[in-house]
């Protein structure tokens, strides 16, 4: 497996696990994240969406879909920017910053990996 694909696979598994945890254990995670006013059903729904998104990442990694990789680098960086903005605006608790940093780190890893791979492998 190529470097960029590996980074996408790892991020996809992270999203799958996070989504499944949020879906199966919304109460404890809600308390940990300090978002007690959100109904559990919404957390389960968000968890389901994260798990589905993780499935896309895993499939893209297995198929080597570099167009998806490129877009994901930008979008994951935007997740960090938006989370930081929400935290600075006091709309989200500070505990969300590490989650945004995980997105940013994953984006950086994928971007770095794509630059390191020879051009002919990027189809």
């Amino acid at each position: 497996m190529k470097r960029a694909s590996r980074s996408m696979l790892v991020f996809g598994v992270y999203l799958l696990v996070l989504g499944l945890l949020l879906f199966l254990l919304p109460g404890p995670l809600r308390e940990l994240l300090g978002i007690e006013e959100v109904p559990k059903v919404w957390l389960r729904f968000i968890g389901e969406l994260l798990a589905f998104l993780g499935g896309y990442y895993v499939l893209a990694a297995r198929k080597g879909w570099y167009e998806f990789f490129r877009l994901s680098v930008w979008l994951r960086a935007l997740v960090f920017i938006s989370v930081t903005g929400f935290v600075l605006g006091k709309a989200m608790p500070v505990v969300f910053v590490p989650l945004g940093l995980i997105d940013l780190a994953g984006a950086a890893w994928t971007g770095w990996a794509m630059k390191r791979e020879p051009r002919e492998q990027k189809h």
Side-chain angles (χ1 to χ4, degrees):
M1 182 176 273
K2 297 173 181 78
R3 289 181 178 115
S5 292
R6 190 174 310 115
S7 75
M8 293 294 284
L9 179 65
V10 169
F11 195 76
V13 170
Y14 159 73
L15 288 176
L16 278 166
V17 170
L18 182 63
L20 288 174
L21 285 173
L22 198 53
F23 183 81
L24 297 172
L25 304 169
L29 288 175
R30 180 174 66 183
E31 292 172 20
L32 177 70
L33 296 173
I35 51 173
E36 296 164 6
E37 67 277 0
V38 176
K40 287 182 186 177
V41 69
W42 283 106
L43 295 176
R44 288 183 194 275
F45 180 66
I46 292 167
E48 182 179 52
L49 292 176
L50 285 173
F52 293 167
L53 186 59
Y56 286 121
Y57 274 78
V58 169
L59 180 62
R62 295 194 60 200
K63 296 294 184 179
W65 292 340
Y66 276 79
E67 294 82 10
F68 185 88
F69 296 3
R70 273 189 219 87
L71 179 62
S72 80
V73 168
W74 292 104
L75 295 179
R76 289 185 282 165
L78 285 173
V79 167
F80 171 73
I81 292 168
S82 68
V83 166
T84 301
F86 290 139
V87 169
L88 291 174
K90 305 212 185 296
M92 288 178 120
V94 166
V95 73
F96 280 89
V97 171
L99 295 174
L101 285 171
I102 291 170
D103 277 86
L104 185 62
W109 180 16
T110 302
W112 172 82
M114 289 177 69
K115 286 184 180 184
R116 300 239 342 169
E117 291 176 1
R119 280 244 185 253
E120 63 272 3
Q121 292 182 359
K122 297 179 183 179
H123 299 315

